[in-house]
Amino acid sequence: MWSLASDSLWAVCTKIDVPQGLVYACQRPEIQKSTQQRNGQIAEDLNKTNERRSFAEKHLGFLLNSLLWRLLRESIPTQKKKYLIAVVAMVIVAASTAASAWIMGEIVDSMTEAGESNRVFWVAGGVVGIFTLKGFASFLQVVYMTRAGNRIVADKQMQVFNKLLGQGVAFFSQRESSELLMKVTQSAQRARTVIDTIVNTFVRDLLTLIGLLGIMFYQQPVLSLFCFTIGPFIILGLRMILARVRDIMSQELAGMAEIIRVVQE
């Protein structure tokens, strides 16, 4: 009995601030100290989590809130099966393109080296197999990309149409019917074009580039290194020449417009 009384005398009523709310507890001093340490650790973890979240929102918020990300987030999951088949076909197309570049060396070797008559037939069969596989994969890619794109166009057109139905009379009185028609048709088509470009660029074209670069360094590493050393300077020179050509064309068009203006006057 006295022990219980002494324990109650040492008990201290404290207010604990935890994420679930405010909790009032009567604890002994040593228990209170451990509870305060635990609550301080929880508060520190919450602060770190909020700092990481604010950092992600600051540096990635522009991407997550962009129109492009919204378009991809809304369109691709609804057609993920079609896009998955198209992506697999693109991988096969990229591999076939790299294989066709590799087999060119085998063709030259089989035709120039003596006593390689049997090798010619194997190389010919390899060429037929590579391009047959590439043609079949390209067909699958086009078919499923087209199906997914048409479905996306139909969905976007329905979304725009439903949005227009919710507008008032003032909205339609301030806009021409041709403008509304262009928004219903062309906007959805442009959304499909953007998605097709992104998928083709980041899957087929990127893998094709990686495969061709691998074949280059595998067959001719020294020549490939030389091309990568000289190539940037060549590209820079071509860009300068093209910029100069564009300036000349702009001046020529401006001169032609001035001539036509003088003749009309």
Side-chain angles (χ1 to χ4, degrees), residues 8 12 16 23 25 29 31-32 40 55-56 136 142 150 160-161 166 186 188 196 204 212 220 226 231 237 242:
S8 63
V12 179
I16 305 172
V23 179
I31 300 177
Q32 178 188 3
F55 177 82
F136 181 72
V142 172
N150 291 337
V160 175
F161 182 71
Q186 296 299 321
D196 289 348
R204 185 191 61 190
L212 292 177
Q220 296 292 335
F226 177 77
L242 291 176

Side-chain angles (χ1 to χ4, degrees), residues 66-83:
S66 63
L67 181 61
L68 179 59
W69 178 256
R70 176 186 172 188
L71 177 63
L72 295 176
R73 187 178 65 247
E74 293 178 354
S75 302
I76 291 183
T78 59
Q79 306 296 324
K80 58 183 179 181
K81 292 183 179 180
K82 297 182 180 66
Y83 277 117

Side-chain angles (χ1 to χ4, degrees), residues 105-134:
E106 299 294 326
I107 294 174
V108 175
D109 293 339
S110 62
M111 294 178 62
T112 55
E113 295 180 0
E116 296 289 341
S117 58
N118 293 330
R119 185 180 179 185
V120 173
F121 293 102
W122 286 105
V123 172
V127 171
V128 173
I130 289 173
F131 283 95
T132 301
L133 182 62
K134 183 178 181 180

Side-chain angles (χ1 to χ4, degrees), residues 7-197:
D7 290 343
S8 63
L9 289 175
W10 285 105
V12 179
C13 292
T14 59
K15 181 176 69 173
I16 305 172
D17 188 4
V18 296
Q20 289 79 9
L22 298 177
V23 179
Y24 291 89
C26 293
Q27 299 174 335
R28 297 173 59 114
E30 57 272 15
I31 300 177
Q32 178 188 3
K33 184 178 180 180
S34 62
T35 304
Q36 290 177 350
Q37 292 178 352
R38 185 171 62 253
N39 293 336
Q41 184 66 32
I42 294 174
E44 185 178 354
D45 295 340
L46 287 176
N47 291 331
K48 292 181 179 180
T49 303
N50 293 330
E51 289 177 359
R52 288 194 296 266
R53 185 179 302 171
S54 61
F55 177 82
E57 291 177 353
K58 178 181 178 181
H59 294 275
L60 299 178
F62 73 95
L63 177 61
L64 298 178
N65 296 326
S66 63
L67 181 61
L68 179 59
W69 178 256
R70 176 186 172 188
L71 177 63
L72 295 176
R73 187 178 65 247
E74 293 178 354
S75 302
I76 291 183
T78 59
Q79 306 296 324
K80 58 183 179 181
K81 292 183 179 180
K82 297 182 180 66
Y83 277 117
L84 181 60
I85 297 175
V87 166
V88 173
M90 290 179 186
V91 173
I92 297 175
V93 170
S96 301
T97 304
S100 62
W102 167 79
I103 206 169
M104 291 299 174
E106 299 294 326
I107 294 174
V108 175
D109 293 339
S110 62
M111 294 178 62
T112 55
E113 295 180 0
E116 296 289 341
S117 58
N118 293 330
R119 185 180 179 185
V120 173
F121 293 102
W122 286 105
V123 172
V127 171
V128 173
I130 289 173
F131 283 95
T132 301
L133 182 62
K134 183 178 181 180
F136 181 72
S138 300
F139 174 76
L140 285 180
Q141 170 198 336
V142 172
V143 168
Y144 281 94
M145 287 290 290
T146 303
R147 289 182 178 179
N150 291 337
R151 186 68 261 174
I152 289 174
V153 169
D155 293 340
K156 294 302 177 184
Q157 286 178 345
M158 287 299 300
Q159 291 178 6
V160 175
F161 182 71
N162 293 331
K163 186 70 175 180
L164 292 176
L165 290 179
Q167 301 298 324
V169 179
F171 175 83
F172 292 98
S173 62
Q174 295 174 0
R175 290 169 174 81
E176 299 290 339
S177 59
S178 58
E179 179 184 355
L180 300 177
L181 182 61
M182 289 295 294
K183 287 184 178 181
V184 173
T185 57
Q186 296 299 321
S187 298
Q189 188 65 36
R190 289 175 182 175
R192 171 193 175 176
T193 303
V194 169
I195 295 176
D196 289 348
T197 302

